[in-house]
Amino acid sequence: MKTPETTPAAEDKPTDFIREIVAADLASGRHAAVRTRFPPEPNGHLHIGHAKSICLNFGIAREFGGRCNLRMDDTNPSKEESSYVRAIIADVKWLIGGWADAQLAMANPESTEPFYTSDYFDPLHDFAVQLIEKGRAYVCDLTPADTEEYRGSPDRPGRESPYRDRPIAENLDFFARMKAGEFPDSSRTLRAKIDMTAPNMWLRDPVLYRIRHVEHHQAGSSWCIYPMYDFAHGLSDYIEGITHSVCTLEFEVHRPLYDWILQALELPRKLPHQYEFARLNLSYTVMSKRKLLQLVRDKLVKGWDDPRLPTISGMRRRGVPADALRRFAYTIGITKYNGVTDVAVLEHAIRQQLNRTAVRRLAVLRPIKLILTNLPDDYYEGLEAINNPEDPEAGQRALPFSRTLYIERDDFSETPPPKFFRLKPGGEVRLKYAYIIKCDDVIKDESGRIQEVRCTVDRESRSGLANANRKVKGTIHWVSAPHAIETEVRLYDRLFTSPDPDDEGDFLRHLNPNSLEIVTARAEPSLALLGAAATCQFERLGYFTLDPDSSPDHLVMNRTITLRDNWAKNG
Ligand code: ATP
Ligand code: MG
């Protein structure tokens, strides 16, 4: 087990324009300490795009000795659930767990609980009342459709609401009655009084509060008015003392509103500032929560943590190490330009990490039987195999060898193409960690299907013996049949066949019909000793991780990733 890092290593200290701003603000004394936040809305599971934002916000806190708040941005109870809240907490903890710096408390310094925007419903309401008192907000009786229609469009100015000049006392009275539950859903709103002709649509008297008679998963039934994102977000930042409020580029156009609300309230403390960076887009991947939810609801995948999804929970289940995701987030960097990152970059980060850490095991995914005819029936030999050539400390293990083996169906061919260096009639091949064998015969059933391959073993050729250097072109993997354990293996491929599944039209038409194949593999017995969360390399096949569906008498493994990029040759 690796011990958690306490301070970031040099390679773990990226630079980008946001970190430069933070460094400058600390150097100039504009802020004594940096405080960032990661504000997910609990309306779905987090995905790899969120991982980029988590690594940025928690990374900055860690590198500059500050703090990052995990804050549930829970202002829209009709789409949110407490199961999502729990999943988000688990995902964030897992992703940054390896960092475990003492100064980087998850959220509240006192506990591991996150912050909730809903905990600020009282102060947010008070801020709204203050805006009304200052003549900067009013209660509007327009229907949602009329509100939209009055807003105009980017090339056409909006029109002022007939309720815009309501006297302050009347606004206060109506807002109190909205809160008291006197009015039905959507019948009234509280709006900021800014400018209906502003070129920036977000400044055209945006809605600050709306009426929704629904229970809140966190706040219970105390509220029937809920604040809108733009109102709640900046003020939550202010309440928490956030210095740098970092979000994705789509919010750039919201920034004038973010600033307007904070300034209109004439607040006493230092104000937070919003900065924007380009979101992560990945080829062959959908990241919109709406689309992910559709895949889950329509049962096109097995749940939010399906290993084919780009969700953090899915990738964790698949066996992707948190280190690899953090390394990926740092590799792609932070810029202001939207683009698409090749999913191969992520896959490379995963392979690189697993190559260093994963122990090697032998397993056969699609077995055929192989008999070594020149060994006695009860032959047994305990061979030794190294656990990880990249890590001498990983040691060795015993590998049972016997007369009856399984090899991979693909590693034998009766009609081999040119340059086929695996097993063929009359040909020789080396069994990894063991002997050179020669194929003498093939036994088939009536339908012509291969039942077993019969070989003789060269007893002088064991790896390590004098005769072992004898040249044979191919080496194949194998397991001893009487010692093998059966394991269900789930082989995943990309969920979408198109590099841009989000193009025009229905994204579901790009679903890969072969994204999951299940086989019953045979593995060497030491696999049973592998710890629950451990990932191993099945030699020549890829990296595999135990799935939570496993039980002591039925192992289930996920293929985390193949050893090489099988898509590269397809362009
Ligand atoms: P939606 O608001 O449509 O539900 P969202 O992806 O914006 O979806 P949030 O929960 O609001 O989800 O996101 C939390 C934070 O993660 C925000 O600060 C957002 O900017 C950031 N984020 C979301 N998607 C990405 C992405 N693809 N790359 C980088 N950051 C992202
Ligand atoms: Mg959002």
Side-chain angles (χ1 to χ4, degrees):
M1 265 315 273
K2 256 180 70 193
T3 47
E5 305 152 33
T6 46
T7 44
E11 59 176 17
D12 240 359
K13 279 194 160 180
T15 52
D16 51 63
F17 74 97
I18 294 182
R19 285 173 165 95
E20 278 167 22
I21 292 168
V22 170
D25 286 348
L26 290 174
S28 71
R30 181 167 175 225
H31 295 293
V34 60
R35 190 178 266 250
T36 55
R37 86 287 170 267
F38 171 67
E41 183 180 354
N43 60 354
H45 277 226
L46 299 180
H47 53 60
I48 178 87
H50 295 115
K52 176 177 181 180
S53 177
I54 295 167
C55 291
L56 175 62
N57 282 296
F58 281 92
I60 287 175
R62 167 174 189 255
E63 293 150 33
F64 294 93
R67 195 187 290 287
C68 177
N69 293 354
L70 170 60
R71 182 200 308 150
M72 299 297 155
D73 194 2
D74 55 351
T75 54
N76 186 4
S78 41
K79 288 193 173 166
E80 298 162 7
E81 284 176 25
S82 45
S83 71
Y84 293 144
V85 170
R86 289 193 296 275
I88 289 171
I89 296 172
D91 288 349
V92 173
K93 280 188 177 169
W94 174 77
L95 184 61
I96 65 169
W99 275 345
D101 311 50
Q103 83 268 23
L104 198 150
M106 262 278 290
N108 291 322
E110 300 79 26
S111 75
T112 54
E113 268 290 284
F115 292 94
Y116 295 88
T117 302
S118 56
D119 280 347
Y120 312 141
F121 280 170
D122 280 319
L124 290 173
H125 169 264
D126 294 347
F127 283 132
V129 170
Q130 285 176 42
L131 275 187
I132 299 173
E133 286 168 343
K134 288 175 189 292
R136 316 289 305 259
Y138 62 97
V139 171
C140 180
D141 302 358
L142 288 179
T143 62
D146 283 345
T147 308
E148 194 48 39
E149 151 67 22
Y150 273 62
R151 231 177 140 216
S153 59
D155 54 357
R156 184 166 47 85
R159 278 183 296 143
E160 293 188 350
S161 157
Y163 306 96
R164 200 172 196 260
D165 293 318
R166 230 171 206 162
I168 289 175
E170 201 178 309
N171 282 321
L172 287 171
D173 176 54
F174 271 117
F175 190 53
R177 289 165 63 193
M178 279 168 66
K179 177 174 184 266
E182 281 188 32
F183 310 122
D185 280 1
S186 309
S187 58
R188 286 186 165 81
T189 54
L190 181 73
R191 296 176 69 179
K193 197 188 231 182
I194 310 182
D195 180 1
M196 289 308 289
T197 63
N200 182 337
M201 297 278 291
W202 296 99
L203 295 178
R204 295 186 186 173
D205 290 11
V207 173
L208 305 180
Y209 267 89
R210 57 185 173 181
I211 304 173
R212 287 276 184 284
H213 290 267
V214 287
E215 280 231 358
H216 190 283
H217 52 98
Q218 190 73 18
S221 53
S222 15
W223 294 89
C224 62
I225 52 169
Y226 290 101
M228 300 299 287
Y229 170 86
D230 287 299
F231 182 71
H233 199 80
L235 287 169
S236 301
D237 286 345
Y238 176 76
I239 291 168
E240 291 178 9
I242 300 301
T243 54
H244 300 78
S245 180
V246 181
C247 59
T248 38
L249 281 175
E250 345 44 293
F251 292 99
E252 199 166 13
V253 286
H254 295 238
R255 183 162 15 102
L257 176 56
Y258 181 100
D259 291 338
W260 185 93
I261 291 169
L262 293 170
Q263 280 155 14
L265 282 163
E266 299 169 290
L267 297 162
R269 286 191 283 119
K270 214 174 272 179
L271 300 183
H273 199 284
Q274 178 184 301
Y275 301 91
E276 306 89 15
F277 69 101
R279 66 191 298 116
L280 171 70
N281 300 302
L282 265 187
S283 62
Y284 294 96
T285 309
V286 302
M287 259 186 257
S288 137
K289 276 198 236 166
R290 185 181 58 74
K291 289 178 184 169
L292 294 175
L293 183 64
Q294 190 180 343
L295 291 168
V296 173
R297 287 235 171 109
D298 296 351
K299 301 205 164 25
L300 299 165
V301 293
K302 288 183 185 162
W304 280 101
D305 66 347
D306 187 297
R308 289 166 292 181
L309 289 181
T311 52
I312 295 182
S313 52
M315 290 191 290
R316 176 171 65 232
R317 180 168 188 170
R318 184 159 170 159
V320 173
D323 294 38
L325 290 186
R326 296 199 305 264
R327 176 74 48 228
F328 168 71
Y330 278 12
T331 306
I332 54 178
I334 301 295
T335 70
K336 267 206 161 294
Y337 310 100
N338 276 319
V340 180
T341 301
D342 190 336
V343 72
V345 178
L346 171 63
E347 293 168 347
H348 176 72
I350 298 169
R351 287 191 184 99
Q352 226 183 1
Q353 176 71 25
L354 290 176
N355 181 41
R356 278 197 295 271
T357 56
V359 296
R360 275 52 169 173
R361 291 293 178 262
L362 295 185
V364 173
L365 295 182
R366 296 173 184 85
I368 46 169
K369 208 171 250 182
L370 185 148
I371 312 282
L372 296 169
T373 51
N374 60 336
L375 293 180
D377 273 353
D378 60 351
Y379 186 82
Y380 170 84
E381 188 178 349
L383 301 174
E384 289 228 306
I386 49 168
N387 282 327
N388 185 354
E390 305 287 322
D391 177 9
E393 283 179 26
Q396 311 207 337
R397 67 188 188 280
L399 188 61
F401 179 76
S402 69
R403 184 176 194 264
T404 310
L405 312 177
Y406 289 118
I407 63 163
E408 207 71 61
R409 189 168 286 276
D410 279 358
D411 281 339
F412 176 76
S413 174
E414 273 190 294
T415 50
K419 301 211 172 154
F420 182 87
F421 297 129
R422 293 165 279 166
L423 195 61
K424 55 192 170 197
E428 279 192 322
V429 80
R430 173 172 289 283
L431 296 174
K432 187 79 199 257
Y433 304 117
Y435 298 90
I436 294 171
I437 58 168
K438 181 171 184 213
C439 175
D440 308 310
D441 201 3
V442 185
I443 312 289
K444 298 180 184 172
D445 62 15
E446 308 88 69
S447 67
R449 200 177 151 80
I450 296 174
Q451 292 291 84
E452 60 185 52
V453 180
R454 300 191 144 238
C455 299
T456 39
V457 57
D458 173 357
R459 304 285 303 265
E460 304 303 308
S461 68
R462 197 183 75 212
S463 308
L465 290 182
N467 228 0
N469 291 335
R470 198 155 68 71
K471 282 254 181 320
V472 283
K473 277 248 164 72
T475 300
I476 63 172
H477 59 277
W478 55 276
V479 294
S480 164
H483 303 97
I485 47 180
E486 237 179 60
T487 165
E488 174 181 330
V489 174
R490 299 175 182 169
L491 303 167
Y492 300 106
D493 200 353
R494 289 180 185 167
L495 189 54
F496 294 96
T497 51
S498 161
D500 181 18
D502 277 324
D503 64 359
E504 303 287 296
D506 184 10
F507 75 108
L508 294 178
R509 76 187 196 285
H510 296 303
L511 265 183
N512 179 358
N514 305 314
S515 61
L516 170 61
E517 183 192 355
I518 298 177
V519 298
T520 302
R522 304 290 198 292
E524 59 166 281
S526 68
L527 189 72
L529 307 174
L530 205 67
T535 298
C536 67
Q537 183 192 105
F538 286 158
E539 295 203 35
R540 299 179 64 227
L541 298 172
Y543 296 96
F544 295 75
T545 304
L546 216 55
D547 187 87
D549 283 349
S550 283
S551 64
D553 42 50
H554 182 73
L555 289 185
V556 180
M557 299 199 77
N558 297 314
R559 182 168 66 197
T560 310
I561 196 160
T562 53
L563 291 181
R564 274 172 295 277
D565 184 354
N566 299 331
W567 285 71
K569 57 181 181 293
N570 303 334

